[in-house]
Amino acid sequence: PPRSTLSSSSAASDVYKRQDSDTILKYSEIYEAREGLVAVEILDGSCGGCGAMVPPQLVNEAISQNIVYCGNCSRFLYKIEN
């Protein structure tokens, strides 16, 4: 499946700094387990990392910029509104 990742920019660094310790711990665990591919875009209703279907409610939450995870691979998911 196609992969889309967040760039390691200063904006991404700012987002990282604003997260609570549980979220940072989860980020670190996913980073180790998934070879650095932590955050992926939802593409056509599927996880951009593993290809698993993402329920519409999670897609809506991602569009609203809530923290959501893939139920299959645990990566952070994001969605850019079309």
Side-chain angles (χ1 to χ4, degrees):
R3 292 183 173 196
S4 179
T5 61
L6 292 174
S7 66
S8 57
S9 66
S10 62
S13 177
D14 290 343
V15 169
Y16 182 84
K17 290 175 188 173
R18 287 183 278 145
Q19 300 309 312
D20 62 48
S21 60
D22 289 339
T23 303
I24 293 170
L25 177 61
K26 181 144 179 103
Y27 180 97
S28 298
E29 290 171 353
I30 297 168
Y31 185 89
E32 292 296 321
R34 303 292 177 201
E35 300 174 0
L37 187 60
V38 178
V40 295
E41 186 173 6
I42 300 168
L43 302 168
D44 296 322
S46 298
C47 172
C50 71
M53 188 197 115
V54 178
Q57 178 60 37
L58 284 183
V59 174
N60 290 336
E61 289 182 34
I63 290 170
S64 298
Q65 298 185 350
N66 291 322
I67 295 176
V68 294
Y69 309 98
C70 174
N72 187 56
C73 70
S74 299
R75 289 180 174 102
F76 290 86
L77 299 172
Y78 68 93
K79 177 70 176 159
I80 299 171
E81 254 185 302
N82 296 342

